């Protein structure tokens, strides 16, 4: 059988993979996209929490001290994200962290990235919510902020408001094609230009090609759609350009497993991992005080009891994004909704453990909760140990895996979390409006849906795996464009920044492709 070949092989189909796949296909290149998860359309998404439904497309990967929630399907994280689409503040690009020197490449500033943000927002597209479009929970948070002397604003989202039914099932995929995932823009545009998407293909290694004219050989296993622990067959594809976008919890593992045949990889691969400083708190709102202190009631006379109604993310306060404030003291506080399967993560002072009578009592008021996400400046303290024999993690059960990440929060990271916790209590516990409890770390450590930084771009080869053009140091033609490339936590949801950085990387990828003989051209418009 003849060897499988292509001009460009893209590994992963989320924000970091779909963007380059489109531009390289639109420019005339032969493009194959390999995706570990299945391919589902709107009608295939089941809005329930039964095993075998949402676990087909969502993985919780448990490491040592941190757990990562990741998408596992064509479209990647964009299928299960909550669609908040916010540009990173300007000061983020000047961050120094505990290293004491600028971590982002000098060529990258917020101003230089703004044109690429523009393109990503146009392609998705994003929508700026007004006060009539927010959820009731978002309104309760805004009212509490106002009463405490803080500001609060609707959040821009990648949602078609005319299609949205406010069902709040975004984690399970959107049955109404209202959420603007990669399934509705970059990926279909890439296919329209001839790209091929191969679902249930789990990449194992990227090694030098042994075929003249090709640079890399990518090995994969095909997964059984009913049991991801079973392998149906294996294969190899030779490519002139490889774009690795398997996610910040997957990309470094593939490179670690490939290190020996590649002749070594940068020492920064699998280091400087960040959870975007994510910190979740739950506020149990006092219904009487919501009515008396905030003056709010629903049409049926209920004061609140509306946590699961609406969109997962609609409002946030940006009061603590002062560029002149010290690093590790800046954060965003965002109203967010998590499905009831996460309720066991809520701490309670009523029982010594994370379950029991106190937990049950706390959960009785679940509809009166307000869940809040703080996104802070963490210290990029995560690392990856030796990779498993296959895959990015060891699969334990449907939707659950054991990863190789280790994460011990530093004093700097804890200071950021504490500052966010203190501010939340000042807003929500004022005059007994609510009781605030953080998520426990006893079960899976810190929990993040925003993994970043495990193969980051930068100027210093000692602390960055990639050049400022997203090319793996020492390995021409091998690019990384997913969240792994983002150098630091962002204090906002990272999806739009990942897409903008991928947009920015396209000219360099196309130029390198041309140098390897790929007949691809610049200039394709956003899809």
């Amino acid at each position: 059988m003849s060897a499988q070949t292509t001009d460009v092989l893209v590994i992963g189909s989320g924000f970091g993979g779909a963007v380059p796949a489109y531009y390289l296909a639109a420019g005339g290149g032969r493009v194959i996209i390999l995706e570990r998860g299945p391919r589902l359309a709107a009608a295939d998404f089941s809005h329930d929490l039964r095993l075998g439904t949402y676990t087909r497309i969502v993985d919780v990967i448990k490491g040592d001290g941190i757990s990562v929630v990741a998408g596992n399907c064509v479209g990647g994280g964009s299928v299960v994200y909550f669609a908040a689409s916010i540009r990173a503040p300007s000061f983020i690009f000047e961050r120094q962290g505990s290293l004491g020197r600028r971590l982002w490449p000098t060529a990258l500033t917020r101003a230089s990235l703004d044109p690429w943000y523009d393109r990503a927002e146009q392609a998705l597209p994003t929508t700026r919510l007004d006060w009539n479009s927010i959820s009731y929970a978002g309104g309760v948070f805004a009212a509490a902020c106002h009463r405490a002397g803080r500001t609060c604003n609707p959040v821009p989202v990648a949602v078609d408001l005319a299609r949205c039914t406010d069902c709040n099932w975004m984690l399970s995929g959107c049955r109404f094609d209202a959420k603007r995932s990669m399934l509705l823009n970059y990926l279909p545009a890439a296919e329209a230009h001839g790209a091929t998407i191969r679902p249930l293909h789990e990449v194992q290694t990227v090694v030098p090609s042994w075929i003249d004219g090709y640079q890399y050989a990518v090995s994969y296993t095909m997964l059984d759609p009913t049991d991801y622990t079973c392998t149906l067959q294996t294969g190899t594809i030779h490519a002139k350009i490889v774009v690795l976008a398997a996610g910040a919890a997957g990309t470094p593992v593939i490179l670690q497993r490939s290190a020996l045949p590649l002749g070594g990889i940068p020492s920064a691969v699998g280091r400087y991992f960040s959870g975007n400083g994510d910190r979740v708190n739950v506020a149990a709102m006092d219904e009487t005080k919501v009515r008396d202190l905030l003056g709010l009631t629903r049409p049926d006379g209920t004061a609140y009891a509306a946590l699961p109604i609406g969109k997962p993310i609609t409002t946030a306060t940006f009061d603590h994004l002062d560029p002149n404030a010290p690093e590790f003291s800046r954060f965003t506080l965002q109203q967010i909704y998590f499905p009831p399967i996460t309720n066991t993560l809520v701490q309670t002072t009523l029982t010594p453990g994370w379950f029991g009578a106190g937990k049950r009592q706390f959960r009785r008021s679940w509809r009166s909760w307000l869940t809040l996400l703080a996104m802070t400046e963490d210290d990029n303290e995560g690392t990856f140990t030796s990779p498993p024999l296959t895959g990015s993690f060891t699969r334990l059960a449907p939707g659950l895996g054991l990863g190789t990440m280790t994460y011990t929060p530093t004093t700097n990271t804890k200071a950021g979390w504490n500052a966010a916790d203190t501010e939340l209590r000042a807003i929500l516990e004022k005059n007994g409006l609510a009781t605030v409890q953080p998520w426990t770390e006893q079960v899976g450590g810190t929990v993040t849906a925003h993994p970043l930084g495990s193969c980051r771009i930068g100027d210093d080869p000692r602390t960055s795996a990639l050049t400022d053009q997203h090319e793996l140091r020492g390995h021409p033609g091998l690019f990384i464009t997913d969240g792994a490339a983002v150098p630091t936590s962002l204090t906002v949801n990272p999806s739009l920044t990942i897409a903008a950085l991928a947009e920015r990387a396209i000219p360099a990828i196309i130029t390198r492709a041309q140098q390897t003989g790929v007949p691809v051209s610049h200039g394709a418009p956003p899809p």
Side-chain angles (χ1 to χ4, degrees), residues 428-455:
L428 294 171
E429 292 189 341
K430 183 179 175 66
N431 301 122
L433 177 63
T435 300
V436 177
Q437 300 285 355
W439 266 6
T440 182
E441 296 179 14
Q442 292 177 275
V443 183
T446 299
V447 179
T448 182
H450 302 141
L452 304 170
S454 52
C455 298

Side-chain angles (χ1 to χ4, degrees), residues 177-361:
D177 273 345
K179 181 169 60 175
R180 310 303 297 179
S181 72
M182 298 296 98
L183 299 177
L184 300 176
N185 35 65
Y186 289 95
L187 288 178
E191 289 186 299
H193 287 279
T196 300
I197 301 174
R198 298 185 183 179
L200 297 169
H201 282 58
E202 183 175 65
V203 168
Q204 304 301 331
T205 59
V206 180
V207 305
S209 174
W210 51 89
I211 297 178
D212 288 343
Y214 292 86
Q215 292 199 96
Y216 297 101
V218 176
S219 66
Y220 63 84
T221 54
M222 288 187 63
L223 305 181
D224 186 322
T226 62
D227 184 352
Y228 298 158
T229 64
C230 295
T231 299
L232 298 180
Q233 64 184 69
T234 63
T236 300
I237 301 175
H238 298 260
K240 299 176 180 178
I241 296 290
V242 169
V243 179
L244 183 48
T251 287
V253 178
I254 293 171
L255 290 177
Q256 287 176 324
R257 190 180 295 115
S258 308
L260 185 61
L262 281 175
I265 55 176
S267 61
V269 170
R271 297 176 62 198
Y272 309 112
F273 178 61
S274 164
N276 198 40
D278 286 0
R279 172 80 166 174
V280 178
N281 277 269
V282 175
M285 308 299 294
D286 185 313
E287 289 284 334
T288 299
K289 292 189 176 182
V290 169
R291 177 182 291 107
D292 295 345
L293 298 179
L294 302 183
L296 298 178
T297 57
R298 291 168 57 193
D300 65 0
T302 307
Y304 174 38
L307 173 66
I309 302 173
K311 304 173 187 67
I313 296 173
T314 59
T315 60
T317 176
F318 304 106
D319 287 352
H320 289 268
L321 297 183
D322 180 358
N324 297 314
E327 197 168 353
F328 303 107
S329 72
R330 300 169 294 198
F331 53 85
T332 291
L333 299 177
Q334 189 174 82
Q335 166 265 323
I336 194 168
Y337 168 75
F338 293 98
I341 195 170
T342 62
N343 289 358
T344 54
L345 296 175
V346 181
Q347 288 188 23
T348 173
T349 57
L350 302 176
T351 179
W354 65 278
F355 56 89
K359 180 71 69 172
R360 289 195 299 273
Q361 180 178 334

Side-chain angles (χ1 to χ4, degrees), residues 72-99:
N72 180 53
C73 55
V74 173
S78 76
V79 173
V80 301
Y81 82 140
F82 290 168
S85 303
I86 307 172
R87 300 188 184 198
S90 297
F91 65 77
I92 286 296
F93 301 90
E94 309 299 326
R95 286 193 59 194
Q96 297 188 355
S98 60
L99 292 178

Side-chain angles (χ1 to χ4, degrees), residues 99 101-103 268 457-466 473:
L99 292 178
R101 58 181 181 275
R102 196 175 193 273
L103 299 175
I457 54 174
D459 293 330
D460 186 350
R462 295 171 298 176
T463 58
S464 59
L466 312 178
R473 296 185 186 279

